[in-house]
């Protein structure tokens, strides 16, 4: 079974079990992936997703085979991506795939002989990022039910936001504030089933009573209008006392580096959590053959 969209997760219990396992991975890991291979296919930059999956796999005793879709792969000789994925899937036990175009990972998964994890498809989805985001919220706030979250930036093109909203729907009484310029508003399809208030004035939205501020960068590479869209920059003096700041990273001007050592900056913890959550996903997969073992 592939993991292509966060919408495949339909029960909080699937996440609860995974989060308990991720907690355990911080102190105890088992060589459950010994002699197993994770294949990583990507045509786009990736630091956190690739390196945390690679580290997770190695911490569980497994190995990684990388297939960058650049001039070192047969795609550059004219082979179709479908065939390349089909061949590659014969060498490995599981594939992590990132692609710059929405839908390509989903399409290629049907040519793979082994399960495929979507590591980000264009402006589509990024389910494992959303899982680690919700894990971080649950551990930072103490719960996800009733959480008040302000999500800011390029909501139109941020795949991490699209997947995160799918997961937030599973929890009770979550309040979502969305703040983006007109050019970057979220598509309606992601709003269904959520209590949402939208705005364009970042200062005004920051004055809300929120537990989590989730920031995103403008996705320049996905837009024809380049970087002409106004950027909201975090002003720490406007941030309420105990609000935790998350960001999937990489960040640009929206997140001043001078904020990095503020106790409310939790994005480095979030990035590290990504490795433990991915260890939990891989642990379940190699032990039980499924990512979620409720
Ligand atoms: C994000 C991604 O690639 O979607 N980063 C990540 O995986 N941690 C966010 C981004 O590129 O802006």
């Amino acid at each position: 079974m592939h993991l292509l969209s966060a919408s495949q997760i339909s029960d909080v219990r699937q996440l609860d079990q995974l989060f308990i396992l991720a907690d355990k991975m911080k102190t105890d890991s088992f060589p459950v992936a010994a002699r197993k291979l994770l294949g990583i296919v990507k045509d786009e930059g990736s630091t956190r997703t690739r390196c945390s999956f690679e580290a997770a796999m190695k911490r569980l005793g497994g190995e990684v085979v990388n297939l960058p879709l650049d001039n070192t792969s047969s795609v550059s000789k004219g082979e179709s991506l479908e065939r390349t994925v089909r061949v590659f899937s014969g060498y490995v036990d599981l594939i992590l795939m990132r692609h710059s175009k929405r839908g390509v990972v989903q399409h290629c998964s049907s040519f793979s002989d082994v399960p495929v994890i979507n590591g980000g498809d264009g402006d589509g989805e990024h389910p494992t990022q959303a899982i680690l985001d919700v894990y971080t919220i649950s551990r930072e706030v103490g719960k996800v039910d009733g959480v008040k979250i302000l999500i800011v930036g390029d909501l139109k093109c941020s795949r991490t936001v699209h997947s995160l909203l799918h997961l937030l729907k599973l929890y009770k009484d979550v309040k979502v504030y969305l703040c983006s310029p007109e050019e970057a508003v979220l598509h309606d399809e992601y709003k269904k089933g959520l209590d949402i208030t939208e705005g364009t004035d970042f200062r005004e939205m920051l004055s809300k009573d929120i537990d989590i501020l989730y920031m995103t960068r403008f996705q320049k590479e996905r837009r024809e209008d380049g970087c002409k869209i106004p950027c909201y920059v975090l002003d720490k003096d406007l941030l309420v006392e105990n609000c935790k700041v998350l960001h999937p990273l990489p960040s640009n001007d929206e997140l001043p580096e001078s904020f990095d050592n503020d106790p409310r900056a939790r994005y480095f913890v979030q990035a590290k959590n990504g490795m433990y959550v991915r260890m939990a996903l891989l642990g379940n997969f190699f032990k039980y053959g499924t990512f979620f073992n409720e």
Side-chain angles (χ1 to χ4, degrees):
M1 169 81 155
H2 307 297
L3 178 53
L4 302 172
S5 164
S7 64
Q8 289 171 242
I9 302 164
S10 56
D11 192 330
V12 170
R13 281 176 303 176
Q14 293 172 286
L15 295 176
D16 288 344
Q17 181 277 341
L18 191 80
F19 292 175
I20 291 167
L21 188 56
D23 288 336
K24 286 200 189 116
M25 291 298 184
K26 290 182 181 176
T27 50
D28 259 330
S29 62
F30 310 92
V32 68
R35 295 183 300 281
K36 300 292 183 190
L37 292 176
L38 170 69
I40 302 183
V41 190
K42 64 178 191 67
D43 80 334
E44 197 186 84
S46 176
T47 303
R48 277 140 288 263
T49 305
R50 178 179 61 81
C51 296
S52 64
F53 260 108
E54 193 158 336
M57 194 63 192
K58 289 181 175 174
R59 282 174 185 269
L60 295 175
E63 292 290 335
V64 176
V65 181
N66 277 291
L67 173 56
L69 298 173
D70 54 18
N71 60 7
T72 60
S73 84
S74 313
V75 174
S76 68
K77 296 181 186 168
E79 184 174 65
S80 72
L81 189 54
E82 291 87 342
R83 272 197 174 156
T84 300
V85 168
R86 188 164 180 177
V87 170
F88 188 59
S89 74
Y91 303 150
V92 296
D93 301 291
L94 176 66
I95 289 178
L96 169 71
M97 183 168 182
R98 167 169 288 194
H99 200 276
S100 52
K101 287 208 178 64
R102 174 192 277 248
V104 169
V105 175
Q106 289 81 344
H107 171 74
C108 286
S109 68
S110 62
F111 295 86
S112 171
D113 290 338
V114 296
V116 173
I117 297 176
N118 179 1
D121 65 302
D123 62 2
E125 279 215 51
H126 193 348
T128 65
Q129 178 69 40
I131 297 170
L132 78 90
D133 290 342
V134 174
Y135 172 78
T136 305
I137 294 170
S138 74
R139 295 317 185 242
E140 291 292 323
V141 181
K143 60 187 171 84
V144 185
D145 287 331
V147 87
K148 297 184 276 298
I149 180 169
L150 169 58
I151 307 179
V152 178
D154 190 348
L155 309 182
K156 183 178 178 188
C157 294
S158 287
R159 56 198 178 196
T160 71
V161 173
H162 302 161
S163 292
L164 176 60
L165 290 170
H166 278 309
L167 294 191
L168 289 176
K169 274 175 209 162
L170 302 176
Y171 293 87
K172 293 192 200 83
D173 303 322
V174 173
K175 176 68 201 173
V176 180
Y177 296 97
L178 300 177
C179 183
S180 63
E182 300 286 356
E183 304 90 328
V185 293
L186 184 76
H187 283 292
D188 287 342
E189 60 174 299
Y190 299 108
K191 296 181 193 161
K192 288 181 206 125
L194 282 162
D195 176 3
I196 288 185
T197 303
E198 287 178 274
T200 54
D201 183 340
F202 186 34
R203 291 177 79 90
E204 195 265 44
M205 296 295 268
L206 261 188
S207 69
K208 308 276 185 208
D209 171 27
I210 49 168
D211 306 298
I212 297 283
L213 169 62
Y214 186 98
M215 299 198 73
T216 61
R217 74 181 170 95
F218 280 94
Q219 306 274 308
K220 297 189 262 289
E221 70 274 38
R222 308 200 199 288
R223 312 186 74 109
E224 280 155 21
D225 44 9
C227 45
K228 279 180 251 139
I229 299 170
C231 174
Y232 296 130
V233 179
L234 176 62
D235 177 347
K236 67 177 168 37
D237 297 329
L238 295 179
L239 191 65
V240 290
E241 183 79 30
N242 45 15
C243 176
K244 309 288 169 66
V245 178
L246 303 186
H247 193 307
L249 301 175
S251 65
N252 296 144
D253 297 340
E254 72 281 2
L255 200 52
E257 287 192 27
S258 59
F259 185 68
D260 285 358
N261 292 324
D262 188 293
R264 295 166 294 182
R266 305 306 289 163
Y267 32 88
F268 295 114
V269 173
Q270 177 188 9
K272 192 165 181 177
N273 283 344
M275 180 178 69
Y276 297 120
V277 166
R278 286 163 174 148
M279 284 173 81
L281 284 166
L282 294 173
N284 273 342
F285 179 77
F286 288 113
K287 191 159 184 197
Y288 305 109
T290 163
F291 298 112
F292 305 99
N293 179 50
E294 332 153 33

